[in-house]
Amino acid sequence: MKSIDALPFTHSFGALPAAFHTRLMPTPLAAPYLVCSSPAVARLIGLDPDALTRPAVIEALAGNRVPHGAAPLAAVYSGHQFGVWAGQLGDGRAILLGGVATAAGTLELQLKGAGPTPYSRMGDGRAVLRSSIREFLCSEAMAGLGIPTSRALCVTGSKQLVMREAPESVAVATRVAPSFVRFGSFEHWYYQDRPTELKQLADYVIDHFYSELRLGEHAQENPYRALLSEVSRRTAVMIAHWQAVGFMHGVMNTDNMSILGLTIDYGPFGFMEAFDAGHICNHTDQQGRYAFHRQPEIGQWNCYALGQALLPLIGSEEETTDALAIYQPTFIQTLDALFHAKLGLLTQAPQDKALIDDLLALLQANHTDYPLFWRRLGDLLIDQPQADAPLRDLFLDRPAFDQWAQRYRARLQSEHSRDPARKQQMDRVNPKYVLRNYLAQIAIEKAQNDDFSEVARLLSVLEKPYDEHPNHAAYAALPPDWANDLEVSCSS
Ligand code: AMP
Ligand code: MG
């Protein structure tokens, strides 16, 4: 385990031509301190977790000094925002330090909120403590759930203020991912009509992250087509996981879509609680473009936008369309497999689609708490409907639940399902703990009053969301009434 100045930084993205980025220094943060950190992510990048409390490390991760070997830069990209071409965006407040070679491949470190860049437009280059804690906790919660995501090493804070709806204290989140290249990074060069840079970026991404498309026994005749297909496939898998767990991203603009199929750029995200398929977690999204039930379709729309940008490299519209065709079947099959696992079903039967669709309609009609429903479903005993009370109590229309449960029991019997084994298997896929909005809110309010213990406690639970945490069972309970009035601010 090393200190931050001994990390073996490499700079593959920085080695791209100057047009791809701007080299610059982070802007120092006044009197920074550590708010929270993930020992697991520290270990992942070979950093001594205890070192994160040292002033020299905090200074480096707050952007007050550049760690030895790092070469800070901000990347340029563009994107479609809310379905409309937005032109150039870029890292307006995120600064890349470089990559670190790890057992899991090279992982890049990025400081989000580390000051203005040439891509800040009207922004101040900062991120507030509230949104930084939300991103930190959600990144690690998603990783704990087994969903592809960028990671979060730590948040450093300061008493320095920036103006949002009200003055708020600023923070810097250190994000970690193999790459932060986005769909919008490709759109940038396509819409600027710069085919040389478009090809350089595609070759960079293929060579570093999809080398199997070009080398070895699976080498593809048209690697650009294969890239589009593989990115579409990964995106479909990622979004199937979102739908199964009830995650809502909130801002699925093409500049927030990872070329690696990772969940990135956590903003006004949410986890489904009282089930409503049409739920919109982003209050500025008045049309509901990014409502929960539209995420699969938007993911596909975004892949089409990427396809448009890659078309000059792929060569023909027909091949581009062919490459994109993988999205829908992958999404359907992945989600179907995830729902089967959530139901504890080991086989496929013709009636399963109706069983799942009718369940979702039932959850919708009753606004049933989504995580609690799935976790309690694992406790169902095939031969004892009279023991259903904790599950049944989640429904207002109990006879409707009973009817569905009868069909579910019959289906379980048809594959000779055994209660204990099924519960064990279901508990591995139906998390007991998700990052409910109000839990994040409590942790944030305490942190705003300099008590960071709740963030650390929540992290320890969310890192292992499928386990029982007897001391923290309250985190799995229904939200309190005040949580209903909670509005997540979109400003970050
Ligand atoms: P987002 O909606 O967070 O994905 O951000 C969209 C674009 O706005 C990106 O280019 C961000 O870098 C930029 N941006 C968001 N907030 C700020 C800020 N406070 N200062 C500078 N740029 C920002
Ligand atoms: Mg973004």
Side-chain angles (χ1 to χ4, degrees):
M1 290 293 145
K2 298 186 167 71
S3 89
I4 192 148
D5 291 289
L7 290 181
F9 278 107
T10 57
H11 303 286
S12 67
F13 189 82
L16 284 167
F20 285 85
H21 40 64
T22 300
R23 297 185 187 284
L24 78 177
M25 288 294 149
T27 306
L29 201 61
Y33 43 81
L34 186 68
V35 171
C36 51
S37 63
S38 159
V41 176
R43 275 183 230 105
L44 193 64
I45 59 168
L47 191 66
D48 175 6
D50 297 329
L52 284 165
T53 56
R54 278 188 219 137
V57 178
I58 294 170
E59 295 272 325
L61 296 172
N64 293 19
R65 71 175 184 93
V66 174
H68 183 74
L73 63 80
V76 70
Y77 54 81
S78 294
H80 279 86
Q81 297 189 316
F82 294 90
V84 179
W85 178 243
Q88 180 177 307
L89 302 164
D91 290 332
R93 52 176 167 172
I95 294 182
L96 186 70
L97 293 178
V100 176
T102 77
T106 299
L107 292 172
E108 292 186 337
L109 267 59
Q110 198 191 52
L111 307 180
K112 181 172 176 179
T117 77
Y119 317 113
S120 297
R121 296 173 295 150
M122 304 302 284
D124 53 20
R126 289 302 186 188
V128 297
L129 179 65
R130 169 176 48 79
S131 67
S132 304
I133 290 176
R134 282 172 53 83
E135 172 146 14
F136 173 81
L137 286 174
C138 199
S139 305
E140 293 311 288
M142 292 290 265
L145 289 163
I147 300 175
T149 179
S150 61
R151 303 293 300 267
L153 173 64
C154 65
V155 174
T156 53
S158 165
K159 294 291 171 200
Q160 200 175 316
L161 300 176
V162 283
M163 199 55 201
R164 294 295 183 260
E165 283 97 351
E168 289 193 52
S169 54
V170 301
V172 174
T174 304
R175 309 198 287 192
V176 176
S179 172
F180 292 92
V181 170
R182 298 127 198 282
F183 289 14
S185 311
F186 288 87
E187 290 180 286
H188 182 72
W189 301 118
Y190 172 78
Y191 284 91
Q192 295 229 340
D193 199 16
R194 289 173 67 171
T196 307
E197 285 83 359
L198 182 66
K199 184 169 183 304
Q200 283 170 333
L201 182 63
D203 287 339
Y204 167 73
V205 167
I206 292 170
D207 291 345
H208 287 83
F209 310 106
Y210 294 94
S211 57
E212 71 281 3
L213 301 180
R214 201 166 248 165
L215 305 168
E217 54 176 332
H218 300 297
Q220 302 286 312
E221 204 175 308
N222 184 337
Y224 307 112
R225 182 204 138 121
L227 174 66
L228 178 61
S229 175
E230 179 57 13
V231 174
S232 302
R233 191 192 66 75
R234 287 196 196 181
T235 304
V237 168
M238 170 184 79
I239 295 178
H241 277 94
W242 291 1
Q243 301 308 110
V245 81
F247 174 77
M248 295 167 274
H249 183 282
V251 200
M252 292 175 68
N253 294 333
T254 56
D255 53 296
N256 290 338
M257 298 294 293
S258 152
I259 201 68
L260 304 182
L262 307 172
T263 313
I264 57 166
D265 281 22
Y266 292 90
F269 66 82
F271 281 89
M272 187 64 78
E273 297 184 41
F275 189 79
D276 173 15
H279 186 72
I280 305 163
C281 67
N282 180 350
H283 294 292
T284 56
D285 181 11
Q286 278 157 6
Q287 309 294 315
R289 180 178 171 87
Y290 301 138
F292 176 69
H293 65 316
R294 293 201 63 193
Q295 294 188 133
E297 164 206 347
I298 295 294
Q300 186 171 31
W301 192 96
N302 288 339
C303 289
Y304 272 79
L306 178 64
Q308 181 70 48
L310 289 174
L311 180 59
L313 297 174
I314 294 173
S316 76
E317 245 171 68
E318 199 189 346
E319 283 197 276
T320 305
T321 309
D322 282 355
L324 290 162
I326 197 169
Y327 183 93
Q328 200 159 13
T330 302
F331 173 76
I332 291 170
Q333 282 160 25
T334 308
L335 186 59
D336 186 62
L338 289 170
F339 271 131
H340 272 79
K342 287 176 84 65
L343 288 164
L345 292 172
L346 301 173
T347 58
Q348 293 273 346
Q351 68 268 36
D352 292 350
K353 185 172 171 353
L355 189 72
I356 294 166
D357 289 349
D358 294 347
L359 169 61
L360 293 174
L362 192 64
L363 296 176
Q364 176 81 32
N366 289 268
H367 290 298
T368 306
D369 186 82
Y370 194 70
L372 268 179
F373 168 77
W374 287 108
R375 190 69 178 193
R376 289 188 189 172
L377 188 66
D379 295 326
L380 179 136
L381 303 172
I382 295 181
D383 295 328
Q384 294 180 47
Q386 69 278 13
D388 279 352
L391 180 61
R392 197 170 180 261
D393 288 350
L394 297 171
F395 294 83
L396 290 168
D397 185 353
R398 306 218 163 119
F401 166 75
D402 292 339
Q403 271 180 8
W404 181 85
Q406 202 175 10
R407 289 162 61 196
Y408 177 52
R409 287 193 156 87
R411 179 66 183 85
L412 292 175
Q413 267 159 347
S414 78
E415 59 174 45
H416 311 291
S417 186
R418 287 181 48 252
D419 291 338
R422 188 180 66 256
K423 175 177 165 53
Q424 234 186 21
Q425 182 251 316
M426 288 172 75
D427 281 356
R428 284 200 293 265
V429 293
N430 295 320
K432 176 147 183 168
Y433 301 96
V434 299
L435 182 55
R436 293 177 185 271
N437 241 339
Y438 89 94
L439 293 174
Q441 190 59 29
I442 291 173
I444 288 165
E445 283 172 17
K446 288 193 175 169
Q448 286 168 335
N449 290 311
D450 300 320
D451 173 359
F452 307 132
S453 62
E454 185 66 16
V455 182
R457 215 159 19 245
L458 254 186
L459 172 69
S460 70
V461 172
L462 295 172
E463 277 177 330
K464 295 192 163 65
Y466 301 107
D467 291 1
E468 297 288 335
H469 298 268
N471 296 335
H472 299 301
Y475 291 157
L478 279 175
D481 287 342
W482 62 262
N484 293 331
D485 305 323
L486 208 58
E487 289 225 336
V488 177
S489 168
C490 305
S491 67
S492 58

